Amino acid sequence: MEEDGALLGAIARGSKAAFQSYYERHAGRLLGYVLRVTRDRPLAEDVVQDVFTAIWQKASSYQAEQGTPLAWMYRITRNKLVDRWRRGPPGVAGASEAERPVLALVQTDPELSMSLERALEGLSPEQRQAVELAVLGGYTHEEAATELSVPLGTLKSRIRMALQHMRALLTE
């Protein structure tokens, strides 16, 4: 985790070697995550490219007090995916039958989309990190707990509390 922060600092200073190292460390897992979400390899590859372009351009905006480097990367990924879904036709290619109505609703209802964004923003940094890694990032609970350096039970509690908080905000 500290090494990723140092790499982002070097990337912010223009180090191509640091960018290459960061890419090699995370591109495979990120592609796997985006593939699970989209089920569309060309789209997933495009999103991963967009994410790493954003990392190169915005590495100086990373702030450690707002979360881990991986949580930051997955937040960028989530934003890129939402942007793609908003631009795409209803019934996003690659979405499961159960997901298509929800994705279509989010695409056609900017208020709902903004509500979801506000619900995520309303979480504590610890809860947001847990949700971004374990729910949005495709990490197992054990992997996310290790990444965040917290006990497994703590991670699960953070996720449960975050989801309850988001549910309450979204049902208002």
Side-chain angles (χ1 to χ4, degrees), residues 7-20 55-56 59-60:
L7 287 172
L8 285 176
I11 293 167
R13 294 186 297 278
S15 170
K16 291 178 182 175
F19 179 78
Q20 182 67 30
I55 289 170
W56 175 255
S60 62

Side-chain angles (χ1 to χ4, degrees), residues 1 68 133 142-152 154 158:
M1 196 161 29
T68 67
L133 288 178
E142 292 80 8
E143 291 169 334
T146 300
E147 178 64 31
L148 296 173
S149 301
V150 298
L152 181 59
T154 300
R158 287 178 183 174

Side-chain angles (χ1 to χ4, degrees), residues 43-117:
L43 174 61
E45 290 171 351
D46 286 348
V47 169
V48 169
Q49 181 177 350
D50 290 349
V51 169
F52 280 97
T53 299
I55 289 170
W56 175 255
Q57 294 171 342
K58 299 178 183 183
S60 62
S61 70
Y62 168 70
Q63 296 176 348
E65 61 274 1
Q66 292 185 348
T68 67
L70 285 179
W72 181 74
M73 181 179 70
Y74 279 103
R75 192 168 29 255
I76 292 170
T77 304
R78 174 182 48 95
N79 292 341
K80 296 294 181 189
L81 284 167
V82 168
D83 289 346
R84 293 283 179 139
W85 286 329
R86 285 179 180 153
R87 286 185 296 200
V92 176
S96 71
E97 291 299 318
E99 293 168 323
R100 287 185 181 142
V102 173
L103 293 176
L105 181 59
V106 168
Q107 289 172 339
T108 59
D109 189 344
E111 187 176 321
L112 177 59
S113 178
M114 292 305 297
S115 296
L116 289 170
E117 288 294 321

Side-chain angles (χ1 to χ4, degrees), residues 122-132 158-159 161-162 165:
L123 301 176
S124 72
E126 294 83 11
Q127 289 173 335
R128 189 174 60 244
Q129 290 171 3
V131 168
E132 286 175 341
R158 287 178 183 174
I159 293 169
M161 296 297 289
H165 180 75

